[in-house]
Amino acid sequence: SAGAGVGEPGGEGRWPGGTHRRQPRGFTPGQLTVHADPAALRAVTRTLRVAGRRIAFVATMGALHEGHRELMRHARLAKGASVTVVSIFVNPLQFAPGEDL
């Protein structure tokens, strides 16, 4: 199973500086969004970058744990980054039954 979430702190419908801008399709500021299709996530992140947004990316593999949460906290506070993207990937063939799934 694979997926990625995009989230942003801040006022709903507002971009930095309090301005209203057209939102990328599949993205709502301040809300978690889930993208299982890599092409859909690429489209959202491309639109965000074109709009001048900087993205912090956290890649994970296996079950989420406190170490992943710490990486996410750091990403949200990263200087210049206004959007955090987290990929969550679990390859069931890589783990024995009951491990990390």
Side-chain angles (χ1 to χ4, degrees), residues 4-23:
V6 180
E8 170 191 43
E12 191 163 325
R14 292 190 158 308
W15 293 63
T19 60
H20 287 276
R21 295 187 189 171
R22 184 175 173 186
Q23 307 304 319

Side-chain angles (χ1 to χ4, degrees), residues 5-9 27-33 76 82-86:
V6 180
E8 170 191 43
F27 174 75
T28 303
Q31 299 294 315
L32 173 72
T33 58
R76 290 185 68 198
S82 60
V83 176
T84 300
V85 174
V86 178

Side-chain angles (χ1 to χ4, degrees), residues 2-83:
V6 180
E8 170 191 43
E12 191 163 325
R14 292 190 158 308
W15 293 63
T19 60
H20 287 276
R21 295 187 189 171
R22 184 175 173 186
Q23 307 304 319
R25 187 175 181 165
F27 174 75
T28 303
Q31 299 294 315
L32 173 72
T33 58
V34 177
H35 303 274
D37 175 29
L41 178 61
R42 275 193 302 275
V44 170
T45 56
R46 182 180 311 115
T47 301
L48 289 165
R49 286 191 309 271
V50 167
R53 306 305 293 275
R54 297 207 49 199
I55 300 167
F57 178 71
V58 178
T60 71
M61 187 168 183
L64 294 178
H65 52 73
E66 186 56 36
H68 293 129
R69 291 189 61 189
E70 184 66 16
L71 290 171
M72 290 178 227
R73 283 190 284 273
H74 281 279
R76 290 185 68 198
L77 298 173
K79 185 175 181 178
S82 60
V83 176

